[in-house]
Amino acid sequence: MLTANHVVERDEDVSVGLPSGERLPVNVRGRDLGTDIALLALNGDMGEITAATRSSVEARPGALVLALGRPSDAGIMGSFGSVSATGGAIPGVRGNDIGSLLQADVAMLPGFSGGPLIDSEGKMLGMNSSVLGGAGGLTISNRLLERIVGSLREHGRVRRGFLGIGAQSVQLPAATVSQHELGQERGLLLVAIEPGGPAEREGLLLGDVLLSIEGAQIADVDDLQSRLVGDRVGTAMAITLLRAGQVQQIAVTVGERP
């Protein structure tokens, strides 16, 4: 069972309300503040209640949608509108999938966070959150929900990898690109290395320029973070870099961000 993290203020004495008016206790099994998702475990029998059917089709701008919420025991409220934008990523959270957010011109009224966005076939497109994206709120797509929930079930948190570096995108010298047939014009210059971090342990140096990870070109910080997803934690990745004008390869084991 999912809800928006910001609506669950504590880990104990939490309950959910059923259509019958009954309330059942739940435990908070895991939280991810960055994506505003909380995973709840129900302590009791939900009876005949079934999970919402999730849409297998990607939403498109202009599609008619309905946002549902239950701000009080008085009942369910709805707000009708259409999808206005798709394809965004979680603001401030690096390495999450492009396409993980939807924006719809529905009224995110108080109590709508944690509720579903429903398409014209009555299927769930994602979970609404009024705190993501500033004013208006956003919807977290089913695809991202599945990934976050899998991590919360297994670890109680979302694992995010890190190398322990500070870096900035730089233009590669034209002569170097030509000499080594790099096929890219930019790389990631290491300007800081965290003591004791994965990069330092594996011998990365200030001034190294990262070119690729596992064959995927790295031109900026977003490219790097997109490679440091949770399932990479604890695994060694082949990094191609430029050091003193020479192309080298180093294997670095990805650490877990605290």
Side-chain angles (χ1 to χ4, degrees):
M1 182 180 298
L2 290 179
T3 190
N5 177 70
H6 76 273
V7 306
V8 186
E9 298 179 349
R10 54 186 184 272
D11 290 338
E12 299 177 348
D13 298 326
V14 181
S15 63
V16 297
L18 303 183
S20 64
E22 182 184 4
R23 302 197 69 86
L24 295 178
V26 296
N27 293 325
V28 179
R29 189 167 177 178
R31 299 175 179 267
D32 183 46
L33 276 65
T35 55
D36 194 34
I37 296 173
L39 178 64
L40 308 178
L42 184 67
N43 298 330
D45 183 8
M46 293 183 65
E48 299 299 322
I49 296 177
T50 57
T53 301
R54 291 174 294 181
S55 174
S56 59
V57 179
E58 296 288 340
R60 294 182 179 182
L64 298 178
V65 291
L66 179 67
L68 297 176
R70 192 180 182 190
S72 70
D73 291 337
I76 296 175
M77 294 181 64
S79 178
F80 183 72
S82 63
V83 175
S84 54
T86 65
I90 303 292
V93 180
R94 301 286 192 176
N96 55 96
D97 296 335
I98 298 299
S100 53
L101 291 183
L102 306 173
Q103 186 171 8
D105 57 359
V106 296
M108 290 279 188
L109 303 173
F112 273 49
S113 287
L117 188 71
I118 304 297
D119 66 12
S120 59
E121 295 182 350
K123 296 180 180 179
M124 176 177 164
L125 293 169
M127 186 188 77
N128 300 321
S129 170
S130 63
V131 303
L132 295 178
L138 295 169
T139 300
I140 306 166
S141 71
N142 291 331
R143 182 174 65 181
L144 181 58
L145 288 175
E146 290 173 0
R147 184 163 65 83
I148 297 298
V149 167
S151 185
L152 292 177
R153 281 176 175 162
E154 184 174 356
H155 308 290
R157 66 189 188 284
V158 175
R159 305 177 79 195
R160 294 189 171 93
F162 86 116
L163 297 181
I165 60 173
Q168 64 183 45
S169 180
V170 294
Q171 185 80 24
L172 299 174
T176 301
V177 172
S178 177
Q179 177 186 355
H180 297 287
E181 300 179 346
L182 295 180
Q184 64 189 93
E185 297 181 351
R186 302 191 70 82
L188 204 57
L189 173 67
L190 303 193
V191 297
I193 296 181
E194 181 179 318
E200 185 187 61
R201 290 196 300 269
E202 304 296 347
L204 291 180
L205 303 175
L206 290 176
D208 286 345
V209 179
L210 303 189
L211 301 175
S212 66
I213 295 180
E214 298 290 319
Q217 292 183 1
I218 303 297
D220 54 34
V221 174
D222 285 343
D223 289 341
L224 172 64
Q225 295 294 345
S226 70
R227 309 302 300 175
L228 300 180
V229 293
D231 58 3
R232 293 285 191 175
V233 173
T235 64
M237 298 197 307
I239 293 180
T240 301
L241 56 84
L242 191 65
R243 177 180 292 174
Q246 300 300 313
V247 175
Q248 300 184 23
Q249 278 202 344
I250 295 179
V252 178
T253 299
V254 179
E256 183 177 356
R257 186 178 298 281

